[in-house]
Structures are given as C-alpha cells and as structure tokens.
Amino acid sequence: MDPIEEAGAALRAGDLARAERLFRAGGDDPRALHGMGIVALQRGDARGASRLLGQAVQRRPNDPALLSDFGTACLMAGEARAAVQGFSRLVQVAPRSAEAQFNLGCALGLAQRPAEAEAAYRRALALEPGRRDAANNLGGVLQAQGRVAEAVVIWQEALARQPDDPELLANMAHGLEMLNRLQEAEDACIRLLALVPDHAPILLLRARLARRRGDLAIARAGFDALLRGRLAPALEAEAHAELAQVLDKLGEARPAFRAVARANALRTTLLQGFDPARARRHAQAMAAWWRPGWTAGRQQADDPIDPAPVFFVGFPRSGTTLMEEMLAAHPALATTGERSPLEAVLAPLRQGLASGAYPASLEALDAGEVAALRRGFREETARILGPQGRAKRLVDKLPLNLIDLGAIELLLPEARVLVALRDPRDVCLSCFMQDFEPNDAMANFLDLGSTAAFYADVMGLWLRYRDGLALPVLDYRYEDLIGDVAGTVRRVLDFIGEPFDPAVLTYRDRMTSRYVATPSRDAVTQPINRKAIGRWHAYAEDLAPILPVLAPFVEAFGYEV
C-alpha cells in the first residue's frame, strides 16, 4: 500500500501518531501536507493546520477538498483574511456548491464584511433552498447591519420548515424584542422554553420583556432566579445590569447601584482589545491642538454638498436618540442611527493619533486631499443611506463625533452642528448604569471615576469649540425638549433649514417596525415623561466622588448646583 494511503487509513482509524509518522515521511507531497494538516486540526492546532494546508494549496490550488479543509482551518484559527481567500478560491472551483458559498459567508462574517457575507449566504440559499444554517447566519448578518426586520422575516421563514429549532427561535425572539414587538417575542420565548426549559439567555430575555411591560415583580423574580444559578460571566453581567434597572424603577437606588457596579466589574474582566484611555487621549489631543479660526484662508470646496449635512453630537446618554427618532420621522431628513459616514473617512487620519500626528496632520492636507476626503464622505453616505435616503438631508448622529468637530470644519464647511446637552450628573449616572456595545470610548463607563473624567475631557473640549467653531451651531437641553417638545423641535428644524412636519411628533407610530441601534430603544418607545430628569438625586451618595469633577459643567450649562 502507498505510504500516504496507509497514513490515510491510520487517520480514519483514529491512530493519529501512526498517521502523523507516515504523512511526515511523505515530505512535500501535497497529499502528505494535507494529511498532516488534518492531524493538526484533530489535535486542536488550528494555526499549525492552516500553515500546513496552505503549503498544500500552493501545490494543488484546484483541489476542492483541500481548499475546504484549508478554509476551515483558517476559520478555526481566526485567520479571517486567509479563510476568505481559501473559500473564494473554492467557490471558483466549485461554483455550484452551496456548502462552499456558506463557508465563504462565514469567512466574510469573521472578516467584518457583512454585505459580502450576506451575498454569499443568499447564493447558498439559492443553490440549496431551505438550508437552515445559511438562513440562520443570513439573519445574523442582516441584524448586524441594523436590518432587524429583514432578519426576523428570514428566521420566520426558516422556522416554518423547522419549527422546533432552538437557535432559530432564540434569534427570532431577540430580533422581535429589538423591534419592540414584545408580545411576539414573549410567544417565541414560550415556544423555546417548552423545548429547552433551562435556556438561560431566553430566561433572561423573558425577564427583560417583563421589565419592559412594567411587570417589575415578575422581572425581579426572573433575574434573581437566574443569578442564583451558574451563569457565564457575560450573561451574569447582563443579569445584574437588568436587575439594576428593575431596582431603579422600584426606587431602590442603593441596591440598584450595587447591582450595576457588579455588572461593570464583570464586564471589565471580559474586556479585551479596548483601551478607554485611548478615547480620552483623542479628546485631549484635539483640545490641545485646536484653535479658533484655524481654517481661515483655506480654499473652500467648489462642490458644496446640498442639502448641507447636519452633525448631531453630544455626550452619550444626553437624549440624542429621542431627538433622532423625531427627526427620522421628518420626510425630508435621513438619520444614520449611529452609523456615521464620517467614521470611515477619518479612520486613516486617526491612525496618527498614537504617534501624535493627528489632529495636527489636518493642517498639512492640501486641496486635493480634502477633496478626496469629501468624495469619501459622499460615497459612505450613499452606502449607509441607500437609494431611499440619498435625496434627503443627512443627519449624521454619532454623539462622540463632537470630538472631531475641528476636522469637520475643514472637510465639510457647509455642515451644521446640533448639540444635545443634559444635566452632567444625570448623564454620567446613566452612562455608568447603561450596557453599551464595547469600544474604546464606552469602556470608560465601566468605572464611575473614568466616566466623569471622560465627560470632562469631551465636554471641556465642547466649551472650547462653542465660541470659536467655524460652523453654524445650535445646542439645546434635554430638559427643555421634555418640557416643550413641539417648541424645541421647531427650533431645531428651523436651524437645520427644514419646515416643521407633524410627523415628528408622532414618531412612536413607527417604532414597531424600526430598529433603534442605541441602548435607548426601550425608553423611546414610551410616552415622553420627566422620569429621567433629576434622577441623580436618588444616587447622590454614590455619585459624591465625581460631583466636584462635574461641578464646572453643571454651572456652564445652566443647571442648579
């Protein structure tokens, strides 16, 4: 028997040591490298497997089985780019393979290329209609793009074929909750718990649904029961944070604060790859560099954007989501739901932050470079808004774009800036108590002291900008919006340059079909009320260490000390 065939027989028999010895004797034979790669995979060495299989692919680039194993090893090793290359080659070799298209979708998802992953999953479903894993993952990438309603439809169609699939049911339940279709989400939870009674994420979701309905006793009992069991750290943190919201609504401020502190302590242990200090350095660098009038004398763009974009900024938890939902209901406006076109445009420049080159590098940009960045902004805007929004006035709402207003005044001098303000004490309390998607900035909110320090950096920068920015600016206070909704929105629309439309006051009519990407999606579905104003008073004892840091801003923004 050929030694490599003998090695393959040993591999199939589970004798890895003998298989490895025989494959190794095959040297650079691609069959031997392939076999060595499979041995490495079975031993849990995905990186070693991807290296060996990659060498084999170089020798046999059209072998479907080899390409599939190579891509799989890369996926298991977290090597997204190589996985995409391997599966892209495989779909060229085997274009009618639904499995190849599905795996390419997985690789593109790992590579953070959701639109391309969506296309690959759709091709897999076209080749193999009803394929459950492709439908499940397609829903996931749609949800990741904020297209939650479309994702729910995909999951519902898959469930029509496989009504007792726990993963599909769980995904659909969470999607329905995101769309504020609470009773449907509850029904999906009940269906899943009949199949898997101890499904902890769904037990948590069901308790959250009770909280959102106002059934606080049921919600509290649900979270308490979960926390008496053994939970994964991330789920335990979520349960503590949810319990804190219930306790807050029950008026039990001290226990609520302790619960959220526990949640944040757990989240801190899970935090990987994020640097809260980096976000602070961004604001500090801009404050150190920026000066009023720095763009004076610069050549103005000869291709003005019309209608002029609006940058809607502020510190997180300043009520921006409420105003955005009102503006999104206006027929002439298109809001971004925190998918800011500016992010992609500034990302290459911000890479110089670590070396100290940014933001000073803005001064070295010539007219051609500025024009290229403006084109990038237009293209990114078109990508985010799609055909329906391109003719409307853009409202780019990402609160911490406030930091980069010094760049915006150069790149987009026709822009207008809308700034949301709120009592700094309520803002910092809300940031500390809120569960955010992690990034450098949001990581600051896991600690009360860093929350206040970050607030001081960002809003201290705003106080510098306020009197010298070369852009039209309007700020408004959350408390004034709550006190006079119509009057405040009229003032904002007048500033933006659009007529008042009654639809802005009936924005809640759209909330069962519109996904709100921010943590405020719960609050904005409720009638406008004053519950969040002055909330900090109940927590004054716990907030005492940061009140001196916030005091200058309390005074500057006109709040009572």
Side-chain angles (χ1 to χ4, degrees), residues 241 264 267 271 274 315-318 320-321 338 399-400 427-439 441-446 451 517-520:
N264 286 348
R267 289 171 180 147
L271 200 65
F274 301 111
F315 202 77
R317 307 301 296 166
S318 292
T320 53
T321 299
E338 305 208 351
L400 288 176
V427 167
C428 288
L429 173 64
S430 187
C431 285
F432 182 68
M433 295 190 72
Q434 190 60 61
D435 182 13
F436 291 96
E437 286 293 320
N439 59 37
M442 302 303 107
N444 281 283
F445 303 146
L446 298 178
T451 298
T518 75
S520 299

Side-chain angles (χ1 to χ4, degrees), residues 481-543:
L481 173 63
I482 299 303
D484 180 9
V485 176
T488 304
V489 176
R490 283 182 185 276
R491 186 161 66 95
V492 167
L493 288 171
D494 285 345
F495 169 73
I496 289 174
E498 299 293 344
F500 181 80
D501 190 291
V504 300
L505 301 182
T506 57
Y507 67 96
R508 291 175 59 235
D509 294 347
R510 311 177 330 136
M511 298 306 293
T512 57
S513 60
R514 175 176 165 84
Y515 169 56
V516 178
T518 75
S520 299
R521 67 173 178 267
D522 187 357
V524 297
T525 65
Q526 306 300 317
I528 291 174
N529 59 72
R530 299 182 59 84
K531 293 178 182 178
I533 296 177
R535 181 183 175 213
W536 73 272
H537 288 288
Y539 294 87
E541 187 173 348
D542 290 302
L543 294 178

Side-chain angles (χ1 to χ4, degrees), residues 73 275 325 429:
D275 180 4
E325 288 305 307
L429 173 64

Side-chain angles (χ1 to χ4, degrees), residues 3-5 7-8 11 18-27 31-36 39:
I4 293 179
E5 292 181 3
L11 181 61
R18 185 164 183 268
E20 181 179 16
R21 188 166 59 251
L22 291 167
F23 281 133
R24 193 180 298 279
R31 297 176 300 156
L33 291 167
H34 189 173
M36 287 286 290
V39 169

Side-chain angles (χ1 to χ4, degrees), residues 299-306 309 367 370-376 378 411-414:
Q299 180 180 340
Q300 293 295 306
D302 56 8
D303 59 339
I305 298 174
D306 185 28
V370 170
L373 291 167
R374 286 171 59 82
R375 284 195 300 274
R378 290 178 188 269
L411 303 180
L412 298 154
E414 62 271 78

Side-chain angles (χ1 to χ4, degrees), residues 313-554:
V313 299
F315 202 77
R317 307 301 296 166
S318 292
T320 53
T321 299
L322 175 59
M323 177 62 79
E324 182 187 21
E325 288 305 307
M326 293 178 178
L327 297 179
H330 194 289
L333 301 176
T335 64
T336 60
E338 305 208 351
R339 295 174 298 148
S340 171
L342 190 68
E343 286 288 283
V345 174
L346 290 183
L349 296 174
R350 287 178 184 156
Q351 290 177 0
L353 183 63
S355 66
Y358 182 81
S361 57
L362 292 166
E363 299 195 63
L365 295 175
D366 61 30
E369 290 168 322
V370 170
L373 291 167
R374 286 171 59 82
R375 284 195 300 274
F377 181 82
R378 290 178 188 269
E379 292 166 2
E380 191 67 13
T381 297
R383 186 189 69 79
I384 289 174
L385 296 185
Q388 300 303 314
R390 292 177 192 174
K392 298 182 179 183
R393 185 185 299 275
L394 170 74
V395 179
D396 183 335
K397 179 252 183 174
L398 186 64
L400 288 176
N401 274 345
L402 185 153
I403 297 172
D404 285 302
L405 290 175
I408 293 170
E409 65 179 336
L410 170 67
L411 303 180
L412 298 154
E414 62 271 78
R416 293 173 173 269
V417 178
L418 177 64
V419 183
L421 300 175
R422 184 184 176 194
D423 189 316
R425 297 158 294 194
D426 281 332
V427 167
C428 288
L429 173 64
S430 187
C431 285
F432 182 68
M433 295 190 72
Q434 190 60 61
D435 182 13
F436 291 96
E437 286 293 320
N439 59 37
D440 286 348
M442 302 303 107
N444 281 283
F445 303 146
L446 298 178
D447 175 82
L448 189 63
S450 65
T451 298
F454 189 39
Y455 183 93
D457 287 332
V458 173
M459 299 312 288
L461 173 60
W462 165 243
L463 289 176
R464 291 204 62 212
Y465 280 146
R466 185 173 63 178
D467 298 325
L469 199 67
L471 293 169
V473 170
L474 175 72
D475 61 25
Y476 74 92
R477 303 197 318 174
Y478 170 77
E479 296 82 0
D480 296 334
L481 173 63
I482 299 303
D484 180 9
V485 176
T488 304
V489 176
R490 283 182 185 276
R491 186 161 66 95
V492 167
L493 288 171
D494 285 345
F495 169 73
I496 289 174
E498 299 293 344
F500 181 80
D501 190 291
V504 300
L505 301 182
T506 57
Y507 67 96
R508 291 175 59 235
D509 294 347
R510 311 177 330 136
M511 298 306 293
T512 57
S513 60
R514 175 176 165 84
Y515 169 56
V516 178
T518 75
S520 299
R521 67 173 178 267
D522 187 357
V524 297
T525 65
Q526 306 300 317
I528 291 174
N529 59 72
R530 299 182 59 84
K531 293 178 182 178
I533 296 177
R535 181 183 175 213
W536 73 272
H537 288 288
Y539 294 87
E541 187 173 348
D542 290 302
L543 294 178
I546 67 169
L547 294 180
V549 177
L550 302 180
F553 302 97
V554 170

Side-chain angles (χ1 to χ4, degrees), residues 249-274:
K249 291 180 182 297
L250 291 170
E252 300 181 33
R254 296 306 300 278
F257 194 88
R258 287 195 296 269
V260 82
R262 175 59 179 156
N264 286 348
L266 284 165
R267 289 171 180 147
T268 300
T269 66
L270 298 171
L271 200 65
Q272 294 184 350
F274 301 111

